[in-house]
Amino acid sequence: MSEFYGPTDPSAARRTLKTALDAGVTLFDTADMYGQGDNERFLAPFLAAHRDSVVIATKFGTVRAGDGSMSIRTDAAYVHQAVDASLDRLGADVIDLYYMHRRDPRVPLAESVGAMAELVQRGKVRFLGLSEVTGAELREAHAIHPITAVQSEWSLFTRDIETSLVTAAAELGGCARRAGGADPGHSPARTPAGEPGCR
């Protein structure tokens, strides 16, 4: 709705969001790098109008420069900087699910996930997620703070996560949601307690 898939029609995009919500979609996923923050800004009015009905997920870690080049940054200082910027763009007091979009292997998980855990303690984030990690990285991160969700491509063409990540997630009590393939798998939902779950 903000980038990557051709020209954007804001009016059609807003109608799509409402149609999705009316059809029972409750998880809306974005990232600070989509449109260089534009997608979070675009979602802000929709989120404000339906805050009690939706789960908002966003991601940090992929940094885009003005020339279009990208880098990865997941140090503690950037984690805190990024969440405040996303909260401001979303017009929100709290982010339901906050993902590390990509991992910088130069930064220990103890530092990046430790900083993310601080966001939970401060009430800025409810639950933590990781994207494109290995099974070993998931286990290491989960030992620092519970990881609620993992977002990785799992399709007919991309099966490598089955070698370790899916097993690790299952061991830690997770459920699977496929992305990018013909089988959509399970859809995220809120459990009665309000925690993202599966159905």
Side-chain angles (χ1 to χ4, degrees):
M1 295 182 173
S2 299
E3 193 178 15
F4 302 123
Y5 299 102
T8 298
D9 181 337
S11 296
R14 284 191 290 271
R15 289 194 301 272
T16 300
L17 290 173
K18 185 61 168 60
T19 299
L21 182 62
D22 291 344
V25 174
T26 57
L27 173 64
F28 291 84
D29 183 285
T30 184
D32 59 5
M33 62 91 66
Y34 297 162
Q36 294 184 306
D38 284 347
N39 194 249
E40 289 180 329
R41 292 185 194 94
F42 174 75
L43 284 172
F46 175 79
L47 179 62
H50 304 286
R51 191 64 186 100
D52 294 338
S53 305
V54 303
V55 174
I56 188 69
T58 193
K59 300 177 280 291
F60 77 94
T62 303
V63 182
R64 297 175 67 183
D67 63 1
S69 62
M70 289 188 276
S71 60
I72 306 299
R73 187 172 172 193
T74 59
D75 58 276
Y78 185 73
V79 171
H80 289 280
Q81 174 186 331
V83 76
D84 287 341
S86 284
L87 284 166
D88 183 63
R89 286 188 293 265
L90 288 164
D93 295 325
V94 63
I95 293 167
D96 296 310
L97 177 58
Y98 199 47
Y99 284 99
M100 182 165 63
H101 206 168
R102 294 291 185 274
R103 184 196 173 192
D104 181 350
R106 300 168 297 180
V107 178
L109 282 170
E111 177 177 346
S112 52
V113 178
M116 293 170 73
E118 291 175 4
L119 303 181
V120 177
Q121 295 163 3
R122 296 179 185 183
K124 295 182 178 183
V125 169
R126 290 196 172 104
F127 302 101
L128 303 183
L130 301 174
S131 184
E132 305 296 339
V133 293
T134 67
E137 289 170 333
L138 174 59
R139 289 186 180 93
E140 182 181 347
H142 194 77
I144 298 164
H145 187 279
I147 301 299
T148 298
V150 176
Q151 187 180 83
S152 297
E153 183 179 354
W154 186 8
S155 70
L156 295 174
F157 307 101
T158 305
R159 308 304 292 258
D160 56 302
I161 71 166
E162 296 173 9
T163 61
S164 69
L165 181 57
V166 172
T167 301
E171 289 172 2
L172 296 171
C175 61
R177 170 179 169 239
R178 294 180 182 172
D183 179 357
H186 301 281
S187 61
R190 278 190 186 273
T191 65
E195 180 173 351
C198 288
R199 63 173 176 234

